[in-house]
Amino acid sequence: ETKEINKNIIPICFSIYEGNKCKSFYISNFKSRNDMLLAAIRSLLVTKYHTWNVYFHNFSLFDGIFILNKLAEIPNTKIRPIIKDNKMINLRLEWKIYEKNILY
């Protein structure tokens, strides 16, 4: 979820729905939006999700830019976007496994 503040669009919430449970990361619980996004993305970079397909709402629009920028900051990741008509339609990601925010 994003919000316009001072004519800037910033992420304020990142939610993950796994079919029967939801986990949300709110900007109010973090020092910055960057910390919030990094925590949310790292929560997905665990062994459990290694072979899963993950779908993002509005990923081909501006939401994908926020996510892609955070992924680029994570060490030992390989990012392979597929772009069509100037929109990101797919992203293949290879990463080292994070468990309890420790990189292995």
Side-chain angles (χ1 to χ4, degrees), residues 5-19:
I5 298 176
N6 298 327
K7 298 187 179 184
N8 292 314
I9 297 174
I10 64 163
I12 59 169
C13 177
F14 190 113
S15 295
I16 300 166
Y17 180 68
E18 196 179 299

Side-chain angles (χ1 to χ4, degrees), residues 19-60:
N20 59 356
K21 62 182 176 178
C22 182
K23 183 173 183 179
S24 294
F25 298 80
Y26 297 99
I27 195 166
S28 58
N29 297 331
F30 296 88
K31 291 179 187 176
S32 69
R33 69 176 183 222
N34 290 330
D35 289 348
M36 176 194 68
L37 289 171
L38 189 58
I41 290 169
R42 281 190 169 173
S43 76
L44 293 170
L45 301 182
V46 295
T47 305
K48 175 182 179 178
Y49 301 118
H50 177 68
T51 60
W52 288 37
N53 290 320
V54 177
Y55 299 90
F56 291 95
H57 177 69
N58 278 338
F59 186 71
S60 67

Side-chain angles (χ1 to χ4, degrees), residues 2 11 14 37 41 56-72 79 81 87-91:
T2 59
F14 190 113
L37 289 171
I41 290 169
F56 291 95
H57 177 69
N58 278 338
F59 186 71
S60 67
L61 301 173
F62 59 88
D63 289 358
I65 300 303
F66 293 121
I67 295 166
L68 188 60
N69 285 337
K70 277 294 120 197
L71 288 172
I79 303 166
K87 291 185 179 183
M88 192 167 22
I89 60 169
N90 194 333
L91 179 73

